[in-house]
Amino acid sequence: MNFRQKTYILLVVRALFNAFGDIELSRGMRRLGPVSFSSAGAAGHLFVQVISSGTIWLGIILMLGFFAIHLVLYSKADFSYVMPTTAANYVIVPLLGLFLLGENVTFVRWAGIVLISFGVLLVSGTKPRAQEAT
């Protein structure tokens, strides 16, 4: 497997960790209900609920995986290549929201997603770096 293929695999895995991490965090917070910081007691109760939620912990673990891969990508490819590819989440998250959370994704939102996707495709067509990092 060459350098470019490894970079693409890391980009895909990073995008999936990020999207599924966001989905799990959203699920966990929805289960907790509306957040209130009306008093110190309410904030403390929220804190206990958050740290005792397995769904939220799964989201945190996935986001930590995303962050670790993101750091690896920074060491292997140009910043100007790595950062725009995070926009892939603008495609993945609405799809997951639609299918896993039952959210409504409007036509206007889909139109924006198509535009973002086009930009991501343009960026991904460039080489990650002229040479492999040593």
Side-chain angles (χ1 to χ4, degrees):
M1 188 176 306
N2 67 34
F3 170 71
R4 192 172 179 136
Q5 290 170 325
K6 289 177 188 176
T7 301
Y8 285 147
I9 289 170
L10 286 174
L11 288 168
V12 168
V13 172
R14 180 199 58 183
L16 292 174
F17 273 47
N18 192 4
F20 280 100
D22 285 337
I23 289 292
E24 292 306 311
L25 289 173
S26 179
R27 277 185 179 169
M29 290 307 294
R30 284 182 182 191
R31 287 181 184 156
L32 296 184
V35 172
S36 172
F37 293 104
S38 58
S39 68
H45 179 69
L46 174 66
F47 177 76
V48 170
Q49 285 183 302
V50 167
I51 64 168
S52 62
S53 169
T55 305
I56 291 174
W57 276 108
L58 176 58
I60 291 169
I61 290 166
L62 289 166
M63 294 305 285
L64 286 172
F66 155 78
F67 185 67
I69 294 170
H70 199 66
L71 292 175
V72 169
L73 284 165
Y74 279 151
S75 75
K76 295 184 173 296
D78 295 331
F79 176 76
S80 60
Y81 176 81
V82 172
M83 275 310 296
T85 62
T86 60
N89 239 32
Y90 292 116
V91 177
I92 299 168
V93 168
L95 288 170
L96 293 177
L98 178 69
F99 294 115
L100 298 180
L101 300 177
E103 295 180 349
N104 180 35
V105 183
T106 65
F107 173 79
V108 173
R109 202 174 299 171
W110 284 121
I113 290 166
V114 168
L115 290 173
I116 291 167
S117 299
F118 181 70
V120 171
L121 288 173
L122 286 175
V123 170
S124 68
T126 63
K127 292 188 178 186
R129 177 173 279 178
Q131 62 185 0
E132 187 170 350
T134 55

